[in-house]
Amino acid sequence: MPRMREFGETIFAEMSALATATGSINLGQGFPDASGPEAMLDAAVEAIRTGGNQYPPGPGLPELREAVAAQRLERYGLEYDPMSEVYVTVGATEGIAASVLALAGPGDEVIVFEPYYDSYAAVIALAGAVRRPVMLRPAEGRFTFDPDELRAAVGPRTKAILVNSPHNPAGTVFTRAELEAVAGVCREHDLVAITDEVYEYLTFDGAEHIPLAALDGMRERTVSVSSAGKTFSVTGWKTGWVTAPARYVRAVQTVKQFLTYAVSAPYQRAAAYALRNELPWVRDLRASLQAKRDRLITGLEAAGFAAYRPQGTYFVQADIRPLGFSDGLELARALPAKAGVVAIPTQVFYDHAEAGAHFVRFAFCKKDEVIDEAVDRLARLA
């Protein structure tokens, strides 16, 4: 397919296969070692056993759509009609894909912050649209962007801005000031914002996740996407949702109904239960992940890496130059043989690969003993 010529096997598939083939510790792909709360898992089992195994309604089960609407209202003060402004998708990845395909067409431009999750580039290409990257650069221990560069990225064909916060892979949680800069551009140029908020609960050190839709004038022009996978440690369930004004939900539905039509009914019921009963489990998960983050960073620094402390997500960006390396892709492919550990080279998430060539991404959503063994192995690189 000409539009997809630049895309092959994803880096996640390549590196996970390498981990399996070599018996290495996989700190590349971001999936937890443990599943979510027992009561939520029991809810999924009960849904299966009581016959909830046929096609659910295409837009999603009413109980999940109502739970999502209640969560957005209670947590962020954002009011959505569960029947016309909430739509269930096969994970956030499909939600983002359906949103981009619905709202951007051939020749339209979509602004993304680089580094960006790899599916963004692929779905923009599928839409026949053009991505316009705005660089996130390290500054004062975190990754951020220059508002002037954001404004300069807007052109006459710009249709949308794709915003990911908390940000994978950089670990940044955008501040209110940063989000106001994005919102200002959207309002000035009449742009749609598509927001990836899958790590909305997983923030550390007091960092606050602020939905872009909560800013003045943004609810009516924002398509927000989230999911149960990261919040409740069930990444394999692939149960996500879109919240947006009804006209945008209808546009997303037009695309999504021909991609997968419906989402697993038992998992929808369990996700609805989890959203209604999220605390204290999620609070404890956040505290546990913050401790794991610190554990991994301590080990990485002891092994000779220069590590950035993320404000959210599952991931640490590690600068490989103090160890004498300069090409993250080359090192990531060699790490299984050198140290028995798999990481993700950050440069694959850039248009301007040279800007991220000296970073690799490590996941810390693993058991403590797995993290400890991994950093012990990485110490061989020093």
Side-chain angles (χ1 to χ4, degrees):
M1 181 177 181
R3 289 179 182 173
M4 301 301 289
R5 189 171 292 126
E6 68 178 283
F7 302 97
E9 181 182 50
T10 72
I11 193 66
F12 301 106
E14 177 187 349
M15 301 313 295
S16 290
L18 189 56
T20 300
T22 61
S24 296
I25 294 174
N26 189 353
L27 296 189
Q29 196 165 7
F31 57 85
D33 280 346
S35 295
E38 287 294 327
M40 179 192 70
L41 305 180
D42 290 342
V45 172
E46 180 66 15
I48 292 171
R49 292 191 182 281
T50 55
N53 301 302
Q54 307 308 322
Y55 288 127
L61 291 174
E63 62 196 272
L64 177 55
R65 296 160 76 189
E66 290 166 2
V68 169
Q71 182 259 6
R72 300 299 282 182
L73 179 60
E74 180 178 351
R75 189 169 174 83
Y76 306 118
L78 287 165
E79 187 169 355
Y80 291 95
D81 180 345
M83 295 302 104
S84 65
E85 297 184 314
V86 181
Y87 195 83
V88 180
T89 60
V90 181
T93 301
E94 186 190 48
I96 294 162
S99 299
V100 172
L101 289 168
L103 300 173
D108 290 335
E109 296 179 353
V110 179
I111 294 173
V112 294
F113 292 95
E114 64 173 333
Y116 47 74
Y117 186 61
D118 65 343
S119 77
Y120 299 174
V123 74
I124 290 168
L126 277 172
V130 178
R131 62 184 181 271
R132 291 292 181 225
V134 173
M135 187 79 70
L136 296 176
R137 296 184 177 87
E140 299 181 356
R142 64 190 292 273
F143 287 72
T144 187
F145 63 92
D146 182 337
D148 290 336
E149 291 184 3
L150 173 61
R151 287 188 284 269
V154 180
R157 297 299 304 270
T158 305
K159 188 77 170 182
I161 300 179
L162 181 46
V163 181
N164 175 207
S165 180
H167 186 277
N168 171 23
T172 289
V173 177
F174 284 163
T175 64
R176 183 173 293 275
E178 289 167 333
L179 292 169
E180 286 287 3
V182 175
V185 169
C186 289
R187 291 189 295 258
E188 179 181 353
H189 296 280
D190 193 24
L191 305 180
V192 178
I194 301 169
T195 65
D196 177 351
E197 302 179 39
V198 296
Y199 294 98
E200 60 183 298
Y201 284 87
L202 305 185
T203 61
F204 314 123
D205 303 323
E208 179 188 10
H209 169 63
I210 303 169
L212 187 62
L215 274 59
D216 287 347
M218 289 306 295
R219 184 199 178 281
E220 60 266 31
R221 63 174 68 253
T222 300
V223 178
S224 304
V225 184
S226 195
S227 79
K230 302 301 192 300
T231 298
F232 300 110
S233 297
V234 283
T235 59
W237 283 16
K238 300 301 293 178
T239 303
W241 44 82
V242 168
T243 54
R247 67 185 184 281
Y248 291 139
V249 167
R250 288 193 297 271
V252 170
Q253 178 174 355
T254 300
V255 174
K256 185 261 187 290
Q257 66 189 350
F258 296 113
L259 296 176
T260 56
Y261 178 65
V263 181
S264 168
Y267 294 154
Q268 287 192 59
R269 289 202 166 92
Y273 171 87
L275 283 173
R276 292 193 300 266
N277 301 276
E278 65 194 29
L279 298 176
W281 190 89
V282 174
R283 181 190 62 221
D284 293 343
L285 172 64
R286 184 165 52 243
S288 170
L289 284 170
Q290 181 170 318
K292 291 176 185 295
R293 175 203 65 176
D294 295 344
R295 192 183 200 98
L296 176 60
I297 287 174
T298 297
L300 290 174
E301 290 177 342
F305 293 91
Y308 285 81
R309 190 172 301 274
Q311 300 168 294
T313 77
Y314 285 163
F315 308 110
V316 170
Q317 288 298 315
D319 192 327
I320 64 177
R321 291 175 295 185
L323 287 164
F325 300 102
S326 59
D327 187 326
L329 182 58
E330 181 180 297
L331 177 60
R333 286 172 171 161
L335 263 183
K338 287 179 175 290
V341 177
V342 162
I344 297 292
T346 307
Q347 69 206 75
V348 303
F349 303 130
Y350 284 83
D351 278 33
H352 303 92
E354 67 283 357
H358 53 281
F359 291 114
V360 294
R361 191 196 79 172
F362 292 100
F364 54 84
C365 51
K366 308 295 180 182
K367 296 177 181 177
D368 289 349
E369 56 267 31
V370 173
I371 294 172
D372 291 345
E373 175 62 22
V375 296
D376 284 347
R377 294 183 184 189
L378 289 168
R380 302 172 193 171
L381 297 172

